[in-house]
Amino acid sequence: MNIQEVQRRLWEQSQEQREHRLSGTPLFPTSPYDLRIRKLMDLMHNPTWLREAALRVMTRSYGKAPGVDGVTVKRFRIGFDKRVEELRLELKRGTYQPQPARRTMIPKANGKMRALGIPCLRDKIVQEAIRMALEPIYEVEFHKHSYGFRPKRSTHQAVYRCQHLMKHSFKWVIEGDVKACFDEISHKAILKALREKVHDNKFLDLIDRLLKAGVEVDGVVMPTVKGVPQGGVVSPLLANVVLNKLDWFLHSKGRYSRYEVKRCWDSEQPNVRFVRYADDWCVFVTRASKRYVSNLRHQISDFLQNECGLQLSLEKTHITHVRDGFSFLGFDLKLAVGRRGNYVPKILIGTKAKQRIQLRLSEAMRYRPHQESLALRIMRGSSVVRGWANYYCIAYNYPALVSTLDHWAFWIAVKAFSRKLNVRASKVLQRYYRQSTIFISEGCKLERFRNTHIKLYVSGPEPYCPDADIHYETDEELEASFHTFNERGRFGQWDSKYHALRRDNYHCCKCGVRVTARTSIADHIKPVNDFANFKMSNSLDNVQTLCRPCHMEKHRDN
């Protein structure tokens, strides 16, 4: 089976169904339920399809937290083919039963907590198989101004779209936010939206079972009568399926043809545009009073409650004028005086973002266990710097802030080193200050914000094509991901690794191939269990640099 070819056929069939649905006239009425997609359940238990879903999940979930069964990627790889075949047979016989998601709380930027539901690896594989089937079907239906959790679309494109609308005289803005979207979304609304495109009761029953699998909180399984697990593979797609109705409702409020736009302009009638990224959206209105905009907000609220079972977040939904500015996806957008004295829309870094970066740098380098190595702290801090800079580099005031940001990062690192080594800051600078930054080794030095230049242009989203390589903007690209640095590893191992790398001149001690910090392993010559503690086993005399193949060969022989 060629998976891309199957997805292309699903995409074409979905286009045909949409054209048929929209072609109905009073003279020749057509049923909107004709030409729906059938036999999707056959894909779920197809060996090639399920194996591809499993490989994608294994790659993406490596090093991440397991579900309630405690099975990690490393354990799942033992007997991988047998596990996938057992799962396939359960799906084919109809005996598959998803396990509840593990509830965990993570802090949000505003100080509140966000509930995440972590599914088991088996359930992630099934959800990935569902997503692979539904995505080409619904990419036909999704609005072009929806940017969240879709391939080849990003937050930067959504922010630039807002700036574009501000340039074209849209004066009023409704800053919208759906209250607890993932937790409150109606199961009935999800299945109703799916039935408009899919005619396969077994497939819909599988999704219904995943939605009602429940969550485990402190060892107690609680039923789920609404919402989708925030952390599930297919959850963002299902949320987009429901919120797509809101997109087309807002689309119906605007005028788009050249004749309609000109008539609205001549008669001074209002016009509407919108931008949505997941559950955050902005509605832009021109040539309208604040009363009209307020009535539109009430219409949106009623539509969400009646069609999606959702409510607007009153504390986050505001009506503002573009002169006063508004916030969207962490950026502040407002009209400011340009070089020629005219008012131009500018994208700025918000105050909250500047306050939060200090805390994130401190959490990455200072507020760590005392035994954690200096190298690992620098790698964590550099990851934060790269993630934050790549996200906010489109802001107009980014170049003016890089000096301040680099100053903060530098002295947070110095204080972290000073506390770790129990020496004065002057001693830290004497030992580790090189190349205008904190320097441990050529491959381990603190990144600088000024190394990321401002991005003046972001291309628009490319049209979806199932035959091409699909790229997603994931959370790892927006936020620093620390699981790469082995959270469960020994805290002091990275310092000895870099000392051994410098001593061995970045070459494998066994085969002599040139290595880097990423392609090498700090191998213990004598096992750690032969020593009284890890610190004694981690002395430089007992550590050697090995490339990954040599390291695997050594432990395979043992």
Side-chain angles (χ1 to χ4, degrees):
M1 172 191 283
N2 188 333
I3 293 177
Q4 289 186 343
E5 178 64 20
V6 174
Q7 289 182 322
R8 186 183 63 82
R9 291 181 181 180
L10 290 174
W11 180 55
E12 292 175 350
Q13 189 175 350
S14 180
Q15 281 184 318
E16 184 180 356
Q17 194 266 348
R18 184 171 189 270
E19 292 171 359
H20 173 79
R21 188 179 74 243
L22 298 178
S23 64
T25 62
L27 185 60
F28 301 102
T30 60
S31 173
Y33 295 102
D34 291 343
L35 302 180
R36 289 182 294 173
I37 314 298
R38 300 171 183 266
K39 298 182 178 180
L40 286 181
M41 194 62 193
D42 293 345
L43 287 176
M44 298 301 102
H45 54 74
N46 182 279
T48 306
W49 190 273
L50 195 63
R51 183 179 177 81
E52 176 64 22
L55 292 174
R56 293 185 183 185
V57 169
M58 298 285 280
T59 302
R60 194 167 54 236
S61 299
Y62 182 77
K64 294 187 177 179
V68 294
D69 58 357
V71 177
T72 61
V73 172
K74 190 174 181 179
R75 282 181 58 188
F76 198 89
R77 282 177 178 164
I78 302 174
F80 173 77
D81 293 333
K82 181 180 178 182
R83 291 175 184 266
V84 174
E85 180 63 19
E86 289 176 353
L87 180 60
R88 187 189 73 83
L89 291 176
E90 289 181 20
L91 290 168
K92 185 175 182 179
R93 296 166 182 167
T95 59
Y96 167 75
Q97 184 61 42
Q99 294 179 283
R102 183 166 67 88
R103 173 69 59 85
T104 182
M105 308 297 290
I106 63 170
K108 297 171 65 175
N110 57 4
K112 298 182 180 179
M113 303 298 288
R114 171 180 287 135
L116 290 185
I118 303 175
C120 302
L121 268 177
R122 297 174 81 253
D123 299 336
K124 283 185 179 181
I125 292 171
V126 176
Q127 291 185 32
E128 177 65 18
I130 293 172
R131 189 198 62 78
M132 289 165 56
L134 288 181
E135 185 178 79
I137 296 173
Y138 276 94
E139 278 296 326
V140 175
E141 299 287 339
F142 289 157
H143 199 280
K144 64 180 181 180
H145 293 146
S146 167
Y147 296 89
F149 303 112
R150 294 181 60 188
K152 299 183 179 181
R153 290 170 178 262
S154 67
T155 51
H156 290 173
Q157 293 168 346
V159 173
Y160 269 102
R161 173 64 183 171
C162 293
Q163 186 188 38
H164 173 78
L165 293 173
M166 293 172 68
K167 288 180 181 177
H168 287 76
S169 303
F170 283 85
K171 301 301 182 184
W172 292 100
V173 182
I174 305 176
E175 305 172 55
D177 184 88
V178 180
K179 184 178 181 179
C181 176
F182 285 87
D183 298 330
E184 299 292 333
I185 194 167
S186 168
H187 292 176
K188 184 178 179 181
I190 293 174
L191 296 174
K192 180 182 176 182
L194 290 174
R195 286 193 182 96
E196 295 175 359
K197 296 289 293 184
V198 177
H199 184 62
D200 188 334
N201 289 333
K202 291 184 179 180
F203 180 77
L204 295 175
D205 179 65
L206 174 63
I207 294 178
D208 189 42
R209 274 181 282 165
L210 285 168
L211 293 175
K212 291 181 169 57
V215 294
E216 184 181 282
V217 182
D218 296 331
V220 179
V221 178
M222 304 177 62
T224 50
V225 296
K226 59 182 179 180
V228 292
Q230 191 168 355
V233 177
V234 78
S235 300
L237 178 61
L238 295 179
N240 270 338
V241 167
V242 176
L243 291 176
N244 184 54
K245 294 181 177 293
L246 173 64
D247 296 345
W248 290 105
F249 171 76
L250 294 173
H251 179 89
S252 66
K253 298 295 182 180
R255 301 293 180 267
Y256 299 91
S257 68
R258 186 173 299 179
Y259 170 74
E260 289 179 331
V261 171
K262 185 176 184 305
R263 187 177 64 179
C264 289
W265 185 273
D266 294 340
S267 58
E268 296 186 355
Q269 294 179 356
N271 204 358
V272 178
R273 296 289 186 273
F274 78 95
V275 178
R276 184 175 69 84
Y277 190 94
D279 57 342
D280 294 324
W281 43 269
C282 290
V283 179
F284 294 82
V285 187
T286 184
R287 297 185 302 276
S289 63
K290 191 171 183 178
R291 178 180 294 180
Y292 175 88
V293 181
S294 180
N295 290 335
L296 179 60
R297 181 177 63 174
H298 290 309
Q299 293 177 30
I300 295 172
S301 178
D302 295 339
F303 181 87
L304 280 173
Q305 189 167 5
N306 296 331
E307 295 294 329
C308 309
L310 296 170
Q311 293 182 348
L312 284 183
S313 176
L314 298 179
E315 60 182 14
K316 296 182 181 179
T317 303
H318 308 287
I319 298 175
T320 56
H321 198 277
V322 292
R323 287 195 305 266
D324 301 326
F326 63 97
S327 298
F328 186 58
L329 300 178
F331 293 93
D332 288 347
L333 292 93
K334 66 178 182 179
L335 292 179
V337 179
R339 294 180 179 179
R340 298 182 180 180
N342 302 326
Y343 279 101
V344 294
K346 291 184 178 180
I347 303 171
L348 304 173
I349 299 173
T351 304
K352 292 182 180 178
K354 290 183 283 188
Q355 294 173 348
R356 188 169 176 235
I357 185 60
Q358 286 184 291
L359 177 60
R360 289 184 59 200
L361 287 169
S362 296
E363 290 175 346
M365 293 187 285
R366 287 191 69 186
Y367 308 147
R368 304 299 305 168
H370 184 75
Q371 65 269 33
E372 187 168 281
S373 64
L374 301 177
L376 183 54
R377 295 172 191 243
I378 290 299
M379 295 173 71
R380 290 179 184 276
S382 297
S383 179
V384 171
V385 170
R386 283 192 299 268
W388 197 93
N390 288 328
Y391 185 71
Y392 287 102
C393 64
I394 66 171
Y396 171 80
N397 59 340
Y398 178 79
L401 290 174
V402 292
S403 296
T404 302
L405 296 172
D406 283 331
H407 177 80
W408 291 346
F410 178 83
W411 284 106
I412 288 174
V414 170
K415 291 175 183 178
F417 278 38
S418 179
R419 183 178 181 183
K420 160 77 175 174
L421 302 174
N422 196 22
V423 296
R424 293 180 179 272
S426 57
K427 288 289 185 181
V428 174
L429 295 176
Q430 189 177 7
R431 294 181 192 177
Y432 297 104
Y433 181 67
R434 304 285 187 279
Q435 301 177 8
S436 301
T437 187
I438 299 298
F439 183 98
I440 293 180
S441 175
E442 192 59 42
C444 184
K445 55 186 177 182
L446 183 63
E447 285 282 346
R448 306 178 72 195
F449 288 93
R450 66 179 67 251
N451 294 339
T452 302
H453 301 289
I454 187 172
K455 189 184 296 183
L456 299 176
Y457 172 75
V458 174
S459 60
E462 300 178 12
Y464 177 81
C465 181
D467 295 335
D469 293 333
I470 302 300
H471 301 287
Y472 299 88
E473 183 187 54
T474 63
D475 291 339
E476 292 181 5
E477 294 171 353
L478 300 182
E479 302 286 342
S481 176
F482 293 147
H483 73 270
T484 308
F485 306 131
N486 195 1
E487 286 275 7
R488 297 181 296 274
R490 301 182 180 99
F491 287 119
Q493 63 185 354
W494 284 89
D495 281 346
S496 58
K497 177 174 183 174
Y498 277 99
H499 288 312
L501 275 170
R502 284 198 299 268
R503 181 199 63 193
D504 300 330
N505 198 22
Y506 287 84
H507 284 82
C508 175
C509 293
K510 187 173 182 180
C511 65
V513 69
R514 185 163 182 81
V515 295
T516 64
R518 296 291 183 187
T519 60
S520 63
I521 301 291
D523 178 69
H524 292 94
I525 300 173
K526 293 183 179 181
V528 178
N529 295 335
D530 293 349
F531 295 86
N533 54 49
F534 176 70
K535 185 175 181 180
M536 295 174 61
S537 69
N538 218 33
S539 64
L540 198 58
D541 295 335
N542 193 46
V543 177
Q544 64 178 350
T545 302
L546 293 181
C547 63
R548 293 183 182 273
C550 291
H551 183 260
M552 292 178 63
E553 182 180 354
K554 173 187 173 182
H555 287 277
R556 191 185 303 117
D557 295 340
N558 293 337

